[in-house]
Amino acid sequence: MPDMTKSQSGTAVDTAVDAVAPPTEVDTAPAGGVSQGKPRSLWGDAWFELRHRPLFWVSAVLLVLLLSIAMFPGLFSGADPKDGDLTNHFLTKPELTHFFQADWFGYDGQGRSIYARVIYGTRASIMVGVGVTVVVTIFGGLLGMLAGYFGGWIDSVVSRIVDIFFGLPFLLGSMVVLNAFTERKVYVVIAALAFLGWTTIARVMRSSVITAKQADYVTAARALGAGTNRILFRHVLPNALAPTIVVATISLGAYISAEATLSYLGLGLADPTISWGIDISSAKDAIRDNPHVMLFPAGMLSLTVFAFITLGDAVRDALDPKLR
């Protein structure tokens, strides 16, 4: 027969713990019954601030467009990005009157449509940026959360490992790691960049957790008998996540830029993968007489990085009341 006393006790503890958790929304209706509205939570307040920032909407529209191009490139270009015609299209100048056609951006040194390659190159860059960001946020965030909450030897070990990785130059270390692979596909580049990029997220999460675990509602939850997992994931993590999201959003643009840099140097993505960095590298010899070959992939790369960094800045300003 199950222990009903233990079950009821556990339910009581859960109810009590929920009662001391920081409220997200509180009804402030006076005694007369006329509602004066509800105070917004941290995320509700951040969304309210974001809606009134023009730069947020500019970056959001750009990112929706870029994600749409990455997922459905065939809707934006009907040309084959790998189809070259040296006889008719060798370094052909752009035809600006033919909007959204294969020759709108001109052709490169192999007779391939630059417009098609810019469109199809979006997928690889977005995949690398998002993939690295997800990996470093999960891995670095978990280590930082454990180090910040438990402290002691766990914090010491994690902090020393972070210090060691911080001593490795990011791009140089990535080049060394990638040089060990003969076939460098998207997942290989993601692994190499994530291997050296998780330290910043770990430090930010550690600092946020140290601050959050000292809050009164965490102390009260612990005194009422809440378990470690409940305190970590129900009370500490939601209140320590905001700085990590800001850093991850800004870093996403940096990872896209790092992938393009490595591909430009010949140590990142390689043919037959289509990448902006590869196209910029192949255009360097023709830039003096045919600048359009490099202009369009470099411009698309800059626009993408700008969109993610601008979004990160907007989110940071919205989540930090001191910056409003």
Side-chain angles (χ1 to χ4, degrees):
M1 181 176 180
D3 191 348
M4 299 301 295
T5 303
K6 181 177 180 181
S7 175
Q8 293 173 358
S9 176
T11 304
V13 169
D14 288 346
T15 304
V17 169
D18 289 337
V20 301
T24 56
E25 293 185 350
V26 179
D27 195 350
T28 56
V34 180
S35 176
Q36 299 296 320
K38 295 181 179 180
R40 292 183 295 268
S41 65
L42 173 63
W43 301 104
D45 196 31
W47 173 239
F48 178 81
E49 291 292 329
L50 285 174
R51 285 183 298 175
H52 295 82
R53 295 180 180 271
L55 279 181
F56 166 73
W57 290 110
V58 171
S59 60
V61 170
L62 286 175
L63 291 178
V64 170
L65 177 61
L66 289 168
L67 291 174
S68 301
I69 292 174
M71 291 186 293
F72 311 105
L75 296 178
F76 296 87
S77 175
D80 186 352
K82 300 179 182 179
D83 185 17
D85 185 356
L86 292 175
T87 303
N88 300 314
H89 297 305
F90 175 72
L91 294 176
T92 303
K93 302 292 184 180
E95 294 288 344
L96 299 181
T97 57
H98 299 167
F99 292 105
F100 301 108
Q101 300 298 319
D103 52 358
W104 190 36
F105 289 176
Y107 293 83
D108 62 10
Q110 299 183 39
R112 300 172 301 189
S113 170
I114 296 177
Y115 174 71
R117 292 190 65 81
V118 165
I119 292 297
Y120 280 86
T122 306
R123 173 175 294 179
S125 297
I126 295 294
M127 286 179 62
V128 169
V130 173
V132 176
T133 302
V134 170
V135 173
V136 301
T137 301
I138 294 175
F139 182 73
L142 179 61
L143 286 182
M145 183 175 64
L146 295 177
Y149 183 80
F150 291 104
W153 68 269
I154 297 179
D155 187 20
S156 298
V157 170
V158 172
S159 297
R160 297 298 76 78
I161 294 175
V162 169
D163 291 340
I164 292 173
F165 274 83
F166 258 117
L168 301 175
F170 180 72
L171 278 179
L172 180 60
S174 301
M175 291 167 61
V176 172
V177 173
L178 287 170
N179 198 43
F181 294 88
T182 56
E183 189 175 3
R184 295 183 292 274
K185 294 185 178 294
V186 171
Y187 65 88
V188 175
V189 177
I190 291 175
L193 295 178
F195 178 71
L196 295 169
W198 60 272
T199 50
T200 301
I201 294 293
R203 277 193 170 181
V204 171
M205 178 61 81
R206 174 183 175 273
S207 300
S208 300
V209 169
I210 289 176
T211 302
K213 76 175 184 179
Q214 299 172 357
D216 292 339
Y217 57 84
V218 175
T219 303
R222 189 181 295 112
L224 288 170
T228 300
N229 291 336
R230 184 181 182 86
I231 294 176
L232 271 175
F233 295 101
R234 186 70 179 270
H235 304 295
V236 174
L237 181 60
N239 293 280
L241 200 58
T244 303
I245 292 177
V246 173
V247 173
T249 306
I250 296 176
S251 298
L252 201 157
Y255 292 135
I256 293 176
S257 180
E259 177 274 318
T261 302
L262 292 170
S263 299
Y264 175 85
L265 296 173
L267 293 170
L269 298 174
D271 286 329
T273 304
I274 303 172
S275 167
W276 296 329
I278 295 175
D279 288 349
I280 294 173
S281 178
S282 62
K284 63 181 182 293
D285 296 329
I287 185 174
R288 180 171 300 178
D289 298 323
N290 299 276
H292 70 279
V293 180
M294 181 180 288
L295 175 64
F296 293 108
M300 193 70 167
L301 172 64
S302 300
L303 186 65
T304 303
V305 174
F306 165 80
F308 280 108
I309 292 180
T310 303
L311 178 64
D313 287 341
V315 172
R316 179 199 61 195
D317 295 344
L319 290 175
D320 190 350
K322 298 178 182 178
L323 298 177
R324 295 173 191 167

